[in-house]
Amino acid sequence: MELTKEVREKFSKETELPKEMLFGALHEALKKIDGNTKTFINTFPRPCSTNYVYPGILNGGEWDDWTSGFWTGMLWLAYEITGEERYRKTAFFQIKSYDERITNKVAVNHHDLGFLYTPSVVAGYKITGNERAKQAGLKAANHLLGRYKEKGEFIQAWGDLNDPTAYRLIIDCNLNVPLLFWASEVTGDSKYREIATKHINTAAKVVVREDSSTHHTFYFDPETGNPVKGVTAQGAGDDSAWARGQAWGVYGFPLAYSYLKDEKFVELFKRVTNYFLNHLPSDDICYWDLMFDENSGEERDTSAAAIAVCGMLEMIKYLPDSDPDKKIYENAVNSIMKSLITKYTTKNIEYSNGLLTQAVYSKPNGSGVDECCIWGDYFYMEALVRIMKPEWKKYW
Ligand code: GLY
């Protein structure tokens, strides 16, 4: 999909992110993280807040199927941007809880091992070289391999592996496969990379619709492996574009490109990103489903905005200066970040322990609507680190 004329014009205008604004945003984010380091040591923030306050949960405890890694990831980011030992210490202390969780198979019968183990122990291993972190990451990668389905060539997202009605992938898995690419890099065993490649190639074929919007989940025939149909779980409808799903596309395809250098991922990135940008309201922060506009009365999803920013920043690294779209994505990043920083942080909500307001976990089932969501906070922090420390090496 091409950008509309209006959107191209809007993001052709140079948008600056002043240094003071970035430092101010980082300062505020670190203030909240500092507060949380006193509470979340043995416990982790719940996926979404209640009235902008995260209660604590255990790693793998109730509510935690895919999100504890984001808190540990925020600590690693805080450590890398400040060099402050106290962040490293807390993140390092948490490594054992991830190892215990995967060793004892606590709440890991799903594909979200990448979300759980990449920003936590893979990051921990990359930063400190710790062996237990590496082994925990590898155990998680091995467990994820067990969800691979030969017929259809994809990693099954949720549900019992023998249940034919659960025979589907979801676009979110774009962020789980980097765990497998990493596992091949550190072990020299190509089996992880082969499965990751097969899955992302299948996803590339089925999740992006003709108009460049995306399906959230996609079913296959368990007998033949043939693609069957796209269905939503968290979007407004089967034909709509759930904003966070679209954002997993915006970030996931550049990550695939970073490992495979296959040009089709650049094209896919541009298509899904252009669709995302074409559907932004005037302040550039998407509604929770891209079908909604300013008259809809629906909530925004700031977490999707933060994820999309990280995806654009990742792709910008690979686009040549001669690519006219590169400048567009740079301006879009700055515009979205400016809006998040000035209008959607908890800076003036003293009691809140989250970073970004107005995220949505799942509107269809009514959880975490207009709340802080821990992955939104993580990706906002990752975006700040990416912008302020361009030499930062990705965890994914
Ligand atoms: N991976 C689930 C979500 O994005 O809500």
Side-chain angles (χ1 to χ4, degrees):
M1 152 165 286
E2 292 298 320
L3 288 167
T4 63
K5 191 167 162 280
E6 297 74 40
V7 172
R8 184 165 283 283
E9 266 170 27
K10 169 169 147 181
F11 291 125
S12 294
K13 287 196 197 96
E14 202 69 42
T15 310
E16 295 269 319
L17 253 185
K19 271 220 164 66
E20 318 77 71
M21 186 182 279
L22 285 167
F23 277 108
L26 181 66
H27 175 75
E28 293 301 330
L30 289 171
K31 244 172 45 189
K32 298 287 180 179
I33 292 173
D34 282 346
N36 287 340
T37 51
K38 296 179 186 80
T39 353
F40 300 126
I41 301 167
N42 288 301
T43 61
F44 297 76
R46 207 179 65 182
C48 52
S49 62
T50 300
N51 298 326
Y52 290 154
V53 177
Y54 293 115
I57 51 168
L58 293 174
N59 195 347
E62 201 188 352
W63 275 85
D64 184 18
D65 42 9
W66 67 288
T67 60
S68 57
F70 294 115
W71 166 236
T72 311
M74 285 167 75
L75 291 167
W76 290 126
L77 290 168
Y79 169 61
E80 290 208 273
I81 195 81
T82 63
E84 298 274 351
E85 191 57 16
R86 64 183 192 281
Y87 302 119
R88 194 198 67 85
K89 252 171 103 174
T90 308
F92 196 83
F93 171 79
Q94 292 174 348
I95 289 171
K96 75 171 182 335
S97 76
Y98 293 93
D99 189 22
E100 284 165 4
R101 179 169 176 176
I102 191 66
T103 303
N104 300 322
K105 305 282 186 293
V106 179
V108 289
N109 285 330
H110 53 71
H111 70 151
D112 284 329
L113 282 307
F115 282 121
L116 285 169
Y117 282 81
T118 305
S120 55
V121 297
V122 171
Y125 172 66
K126 287 180 176 175
I127 294 164
T128 69
N130 178 262
E131 187 59 24
R132 191 169 186 183
K134 177 181 164 187
Q135 292 308 328
L138 289 175
K139 285 179 208 170
N142 283 322
H143 194 60
L144 184 55
L145 285 186
R147 299 194 69 81
Y148 180 70
K149 296 291 181 186
E150 205 57 70
K151 283 190 180 151
E153 302 193 335
F154 68 95
I155 294 167
Q156 183 181 313
W158 307 311
D160 191 294
L161 290 167
N162 297 311
D163 177 1
T165 66
Y167 212 70
R168 62 173 159 179
L169 63 74
I170 73 171
I171 192 167
D172 319 29
C173 197
N174 277 10
L175 274 278
N176 288 325
V177 289
L179 177 68
L180 300 179
F181 285 118
W182 167 80
S184 270
E185 281 181 357
V186 291
T187 59
D189 185 339
S190 61
K191 72 176 179 220
Y192 306 97
R193 183 182 166 97
E194 279 158 21
I195 300 293
T197 307
K198 282 187 176 163
H199 174 92
I200 197 73
N201 280 337
T202 302
K205 273 187 215 134
V206 300
V207 295
V208 183
R209 301 187 186 104
E210 189 84 10
D211 69 354
S212 303
S213 64
T214 52
H215 292 291
H216 178 199
T217 87
F218 204 95
Y219 280 101
F220 295 80
D221 182 327
E223 299 298 326
T224 62
N226 289 336
V228 177
K229 62 174 175 182
V231 169
T232 199
Q234 279 159 260
D238 290 340
D239 298 330
S240 73
W242 175 46
R244 196 155 70 252
Q246 192 82 17
W248 295 135
V250 173
Y251 198 178
F253 293 129
L255 290 174
Y257 181 77
S258 76
Y259 290 101
L260 298 170
K261 296 292 180 300
D262 177 341
E263 290 301 316
K264 78 164 175 275
F265 293 114
V266 178
E267 198 215 329
L268 280 169
F269 161 83
K270 288 191 177 188
R271 287 179 55 202
V272 298
T273 303
N274 292 352
Y275 187 95
F276 184 87
L277 297 177
N278 280 346
H279 289 81
L280 295 182
S282 53
D283 74 354
D284 297 324
I285 305 303
C286 55
Y287 288 89
W288 68 273
D289 194 293
L290 299 178
M291 72 181 280
F292 298 124
D293 63 21
E294 260 142 328
N295 303 317
S296 64
E298 292 288 337
E299 292 80 9
R300 284 173 162 73
D301 179 8
T302 53
S303 79
I307 295 161
V309 164
C310 291
M312 287 188 272
L313 287 167
E314 180 63 13
M315 194 75 239
I316 285 166
K317 292 194 318 203
Y318 311 112
L319 294 178
D321 289 343
S322 56
D323 186 327
D325 293 337
K326 183 169 176 164
K327 211 70 221 135
I328 300 276
Y329 299 131
E330 283 172 355
N331 288 329
V333 160
N334 288 352
S335 246
I336 295 172
M337 283 304 281
K338 207 171 197 172
S339 199
L340 287 176
I341 292 168
T342 55
K343 289 179 62 186
Y344 294 95
T345 74
T346 56
K347 179 179 170 184
N348 297 321
I349 310 177
E350 197 68 33
Y351 63 83
S352 175
N353 59 0
L355 303 190
L356 285 184
T357 62
Q358 301 191 41
V360 169
Y361 188 173
S362 181
K363 179 101 190 243
N365 69 20
S367 55
V369 177
D370 185 5
E371 287 291 346
C372 307
C373 286
I374 195 65
W375 56 90
D377 292 355
Y378 167 85
F379 286 107
Y380 172 65
M381 187 68 189
E382 184 183 305
L384 288 173
V385 171
R386 278 178 175 271
I387 295 166
M388 299 177 79
K389 192 176 171 169
E391 71 280 15
W392 178 77
K393 292 211 170 32
K394 68 180 166 61
Y395 302 156
W396 305 95

